Amino acid sequence: MFPLNLHERHITRKNRYIFRSCAVWPEDTCSSNASPVFLKLFVSIFICLKIFTGFFLFGYAQVFSDHRTFKVEFNKGCAPLDITITGLSGCPSCHGNAVSYFWDFTPVDGGAQRDSLNKYTIQNASPFDTVRHTYSRPGTYTLTRVGIGQNGYLENTLDQLRIHVKESPKPVFSSDYCSGRRIQLNFSKDPFYDSFEVAFQSGSSPQIYQKNEKPRHQYADTSPQIISVRGLFENGGDQNCASVLSREVVPVETVSPPVFESVESLGGETQIRIGQLPPYSSLFLTYSNIVPGSPSIIMLDSILSEDTEFTFSTVHFASTQSYGLRLNYDICQNRYVSAYTVGISGRADHANRRLLINRTVEERQFDSLVLFRNDERLIPADKENLPFPDSLVVCGGIYTYRWKGYRGQGIVLSDTVRLQSLAGREPLPIDDFYVSVQNEQDLLLSWEPLDNVLVDAYFIHSGLANVPLETKDSLWSIANTVVTPSQCFYVFYKDKCGQFAPSKKACSIFLEKQQLTSQSALLEWNEYEGWNSGTPEYTLEQVAVSGDTLRLELGQALSYEAAADQSEADRVRFRISAADGRDKRVYSNWVEAEFAPVFVFPTAFSPNGDGLNDTYRFVGAHSQVSRYSLMIFNRWGSLVFSTEDAQLGWDGTQNGRKLPEGSYSFMAKIVTSSGTEIQKRGVVHLIRKRVE
């Protein structure tokens, strides 16, 4: 006889039906004692009807063990969870010859609760007895029952059921705004509950919705409202799951669209930043490849945003392809905003000495679309002429390209492509070339290497030598060459592609001196030539025999008249330096000028003890005096004072007696350390001032 399959069914909390099989076994399945077929049929129908009416009346599910030897009211709930286990008589042979039963309530992971308290044996118990147990902590448990016979465990009686105990978590849901003061709920991101009890307004009657439903509610106005949601388990005990999540919503007449603030690709990953989102909204980001023939819209990600901004990180797109992005808003109307990624690719066109950069999106998708090279903006003459040819490259140069698109308030950055040119435009000449005198007679030649240029060798020549000097470095020293006026040199290079750059010229500064008088000299020099960074600014450096140094800023002047002063030196060395405004300086040769020392004899003095002009003596280069004599005479020609000490002056007395005010004549003779003899004659006025 074939088994008769009926179905037991029960009511869920929303009067939906769940069907489970209830089989009637053939007569030889569970017992060797044959029974009349009609009797077994009657019993089976009675059992199924009893189960059916029981579920219908009590309104909850029954969850069966793997081999249907026992059942519980529910296998989901919140801690502490009380369950009642009832044995089933549907298959007597499945119970074997057990004299007692062993129960194991330990968690799946074998954690701290795996102890003797969660294992116990019921002696001399019927397999149909009711057993009760409380799960006090959250976790996933395997409820196990096995019969124990006279000789130990009976493996054919082993049966199990999985139990899930939660921490009474708050439900997870989105509250999406729709135009017309409507709110739609979405429970798809909730990881625990099967259904939800929802009250759309404070004081309203709650309704129950399944997890896959998306209920909507329209409010009468735009005043703030409170939505309350409680999670329920389909096969569970939720009477102790009391966590309710309440959220304030403010209905709107029209939903404002979110904004793609930035879409940035780098290293094969794309980061998408969204702004101006309603809080607690569900986002559905989709994409499609804009290449014809590509698949239609594909779901990229679905998330629940709790903030007004959200970032989709590490989205993987092909960097050479462009994709259309769509983000939903106003779900009830199925509206969305869009953006585009920019695919980038490039290659070297060595034959034409250029690099080619392409993109896979039309410019009309953006307000503006700009190509950047090494973070500097390029301005293509024709942005629709693709691939874009970049001819402003040099041999060996390494360049990083990136497209940037601007649309509304957002920016889209493509991935980067890095290219190296093994050919390029004619090499550029060196920008700045320095020729400077060092160590009195040597010339030091140096220059600034160009950025992003691979140089094979540098070459230097003076315009006179037939064979230029070759070097790998960016400096060169030439000894004992400062013997002529300004000397000019040329430097150029050969790049790794075998191309020669134009030469760069630089001429040293040559300083000349013309002695005008014993007290002055004219200094002249040529303009420095060698750099492109502006007109040189010149500085005169003046060094006395004593080592004292004076520097004068002369601007762009090319001459200067130096005059003797009352310093201690009669020989002074000069040189000129030029600066380019970037802390680079070149120097000329040294020149030396001789100036006759300056000796000044005052025309008056006042020996009144006030500490000012109390003695009469010359002012000037005392250290340059080799021999000295000074004689003072009164109006009648009588000698009143004389000395041969250049440091000793006349105090206006004779033999300790103060002489009267009046005019006195003096005669002085000075022989300098260089042998020059100087004679001075004149009149000095002695003034007696009263000190008050």
Side-chain angles (χ1 to χ4, degrees):
M1 177 179 178
F2 294 97
L4 175 63
N5 291 317
L6 300 178
H7 295 85
E8 58 183 72
R9 62 184 180 180
H10 65 277
I11 289 183
T12 67
R13 291 178 177 80
K14 203 179 179 186
N15 296 325
R16 299 196 175 195
Y17 295 99
I18 295 179
F19 300 92
R20 296 187 181 275
S21 297
C22 178
V24 179
W25 291 274
E27 57 186 75
D28 58 345
T29 299
C30 296
S31 174
S32 60
N33 299 322
S35 300
V37 173
F38 70 90
L39 178 61
K40 290 200 171 190
L41 177 62
F42 174 80
V43 172
S44 297
I45 293 175
F46 176 79
I47 292 173
C48 288
L49 289 175
K50 183 179 179 181
I51 294 174
F52 166 77
T53 55
F55 282 136
F56 187 87
L57 292 175
F58 293 105
Y60 54 79
Q62 298 291 301
V63 185
F64 295 90
S65 61
D66 293 345
H67 298 302
R68 304 175 70 85
T69 64
F70 64 88
K71 66 179 180 179
V72 296
E73 314 100 305
F74 39 75
N75 68 334
K76 293 182 181 179
C78 299
L81 179 64
D82 297 322
I83 63 169
T84 299
I85 309 164
T86 304
L88 298 176
S89 59
C91 181
S93 65
C94 298
H95 300 290
N97 299 315
V99 297
S100 62
Y101 289 89
F102 172 78
W103 292 91
D104 188 347
F105 301 93
T106 55
V108 172
D109 59 3
Q113 298 183 61
R114 183 174 284 277
D115 52 41
S116 59
L117 296 179
N118 292 308
K119 301 177 182 179
Y120 52 84
T121 301
I122 302 177
Q123 299 288 340
N124 301 320
S126 167
F128 314 117
D129 285 349
T130 297
V131 177
R132 292 180 175 82
H133 182 75
T134 299
Y135 291 97
S136 59
R137 300 180 183 179
T140 300
Y141 300 83
T142 299
L143 172 59
T144 302
R145 188 188 76 166
V146 62
I148 303 176
Q150 296 294 337
N151 299 318
Y153 291 108
L154 302 174
E155 293 185 3
N156 65 325
T157 64
L158 176 68
D159 203 358
Q160 294 179 324
L161 177 64
R162 189 64 57 88
I163 305 293
H164 304 276
V165 183
K166 307 297 181 181
E167 292 182 344
S168 189
K170 291 185 181 296
V172 177
F173 67 95
S174 67
S175 47
D176 298 312
Y177 286 80
C178 297
S179 297
R181 308 177 307 283
R182 290 176 294 175
I183 296 292
Q184 175 176 293
L185 303 186
N186 188 333
F187 310 108
S188 61
K189 293 296 181 180
D190 188 279
F192 301 114
Y193 297 109
D194 301 310
S195 58
F196 302 85
E197 185 180 77
V198 179
F200 278 98
Q201 291 176 284
S202 298
S204 64
S205 299
Q207 299 183 41
I208 297 177
Y209 299 93
Q210 297 302 306
K211 187 172 186 175
N212 60 352
E213 293 186 274
K214 298 177 181 178
R216 297 177 184 175
H217 184 80
Q218 185 173 26
Y219 294 93
D221 53 42
T222 58
S223 60
Q225 304 289 338
I226 300 296
I227 297 177
S228 298
V229 177
R230 185 168 78 96
L232 307 173
F233 293 114
E234 194 69 49
N235 294 326
D238 48 75
Q239 70 279 0
N240 58 337
C241 295
S243 293
V244 177
L245 179 60
S246 298
R247 179 182 300 161
E248 182 182 84
V249 295
V250 182
V252 295
E253 293 290 351
T254 303
V255 179
S256 299
V259 174
F260 282 95
E261 294 182 346
S262 65
V263 179
E264 181 175 3
S265 301
L266 189 62
E269 297 182 349
T270 300
Q271 185 181 79
I272 305 169
R273 184 174 180 83
I274 311 295
Q276 300 183 21
L277 292 168
Y280 296 101
S281 57
S282 55
L283 304 180
F284 301 95
L285 183 64
T286 60
Y287 77 95
S288 60
N289 194 322
I290 66 174
V291 176
S294 299
S296 57
I297 298 174
I298 302 171
M299 174 66 75
L300 183 64
D301 202 355
S302 172
I303 59 97
L304 170 60
S305 173
E306 298 184 4
D307 204 348
T308 57
E309 293 185 341
F310 187 82
T311 299
F312 293 91
S313 299
T314 62
V315 178
H316 296 280
F317 285 141
S319 61
T320 58
Q321 298 294 324
S322 292
Y323 299 85
L325 303 174
R326 297 205 314 183
L327 182 71
N328 66 291
Y329 78 100
D330 199 351
I331 292 179
C332 303
Q333 301 295 328
N334 195 28
R335 294 175 179 169
Y336 60 87
V337 291
S338 61
Y340 294 87
T341 68
V342 181
I344 185 172
S345 60
R347 63 183 179 88
D349 182 9
H350 299 313
N352 295 302
R353 298 184 177 183
R354 62 183 183 175
L355 299 176
L356 301 177
I357 302 90
N358 210 344
R359 54 177 164 80
T360 55
V361 68
E362 297 182 3
E363 186 181 3
R364 63 184 177 86
Q365 305 295 351
F366 299 90
D367 298 334
S368 64
L369 188 59
V370 182
L371 179 62
F372 283 75
R373 180 185 68 188
N374 295 346
D375 294 327
E376 293 184 357
R377 179 172 180 161
L378 292 178
I379 304 179
D382 183 3
K383 287 184 282 188
E384 292 298 332
N385 181 21
L386 295 175
F388 170 71
D390 186 5
S391 300
L392 300 178
V393 295
V394 296
C395 173
I398 299 176
Y399 303 92
T400 301
Y401 296 90
R402 192 177 208 184
W403 291 99
K404 292 185 181 181
Y406 303 89
R407 184 180 183 185
Q409 305 175 44
I411 181 173
V412 176
L413 292 87
S414 75
D415 211 328
T416 59
V417 61
R418 192 167 183 261
L419 302 174
Q420 182 174 19
S421 174
L422 298 180
R425 61 183 177 181
E426 179 181 349
L428 297 174
I430 290 173
D431 285 334
D432 295 314
F433 186 16
Y434 305 94
V435 179
S436 181
V437 178
Q438 66 172 6
N439 302 327
E440 301 289 345
Q441 294 294 315
D442 298 341
L443 285 178
L444 179 65
L445 283 59
S446 62
W447 51 92
E448 295 290 338
L450 294 175
D451 294 334
N452 216 16
V453 175
L454 294 181
V455 175
D456 182 62
Y458 294 101
F459 300 90
I460 306 166
H461 67 89
S462 63
L464 300 176
N466 294 325
V467 180
L469 302 172
E470 181 176 344
T471 178
K472 298 291 185 181
D473 299 322
S474 58
L475 58 87
W476 190 270
S477 180
I478 303 176
N480 302 319
T481 56
V482 186
V483 294
T484 61
S486 178
Q487 298 181 72
C488 297
F489 295 87
Y490 300 84
V491 63
F492 62 95
Y493 64 89
K494 181 179 69 172
D495 63 24
K496 293 292 186 181
C497 300
Q499 303 174 117
F500 287 91
S503 59
K504 176 68 175 179
K505 179 182 178 182
C507 300
S508 63
I509 302 175
F510 189 76
L511 176 61
E512 296 180 283
K513 176 210 69 173
Q514 180 183 354
Q515 195 77 40
L516 299 178
T517 68
S518 62
Q519 301 292 317
S520 64
L522 178 63
L523 304 176
E524 295 180 298
W525 57 93
N526 60 289
E527 182 177 359
Y528 180 74
E529 179 182 355
W531 52 54
N532 299 331
S533 55
T535 304
E537 298 283 336
Y538 298 100
T539 301
L540 175 65
E541 189 174 342
Q542 176 178 317
V543 181
V545 174
S546 62
D548 295 336
T549 301
L550 176 66
R551 290 181 175 86
L552 301 175
E553 301 295 333
L554 303 180
Q556 298 175 12
L558 298 176
S559 63
Y560 178 77
E561 184 174 337
D565 55 19
Q566 297 177 10
S567 67
E568 296 293 326
D570 61 348
R571 289 195 311 274
V572 182
R573 303 179 75 224
F574 299 94
R575 74 171 176 178
I576 289 290
S577 65
D580 65 352
R582 298 184 304 174
D583 297 328
K584 291 290 187 179
R585 189 173 291 274
V586 295
Y587 296 90
S588 74
N589 55 300
W590 287 95
V591 297
E592 186 176 284
E594 291 192 11
F595 300 110
V598 177
F599 303 100
V600 178
F601 286 85
T603 59
F605 76 112
S606 56
N608 54 9
D610 62 358
L612 300 175
N613 299 320
D614 286 335
T615 59
Y616 181 73
R617 61 179 180 176
F618 75 91
V619 178
H622 288 262
S623 63
Q624 300 300 314
V625 176
S626 176
R627 295 195 306 273
Y628 173 76
S629 68
L630 173 64
M631 293 181 291
I632 307 293
F633 304 90
N634 61 18
R635 68 178 66 181
W636 296 283
S638 300
L639 181 66
V640 296
F641 175 79
S642 66
T643 183
E644 293 182 354
D645 185 353
Q647 302 299 326
L648 181 63
W650 178 43
D651 62 0
T653 65
Q654 183 180 22
N655 298 325
R657 179 176 60 87
K658 292 182 179 180
L659 296 179
E661 289 185 343
S663 297
Y664 296 81
S665 61
F666 72 89
M667 184 172 63
K669 181 179 179 181
I670 300 173
V671 178
T672 67
S673 56
S674 61
T676 303
E677 183 177 308
I678 300 172
Q679 293 188 5
K680 294 283 187 177
R681 296 175 182 269
V683 176
V684 59
H685 297 280
L686 189 155
I687 302 172
R688 296 288 184 185
K689 288 184 178 179
R690 180 176 296 177
V691 180
E692 297 181 357

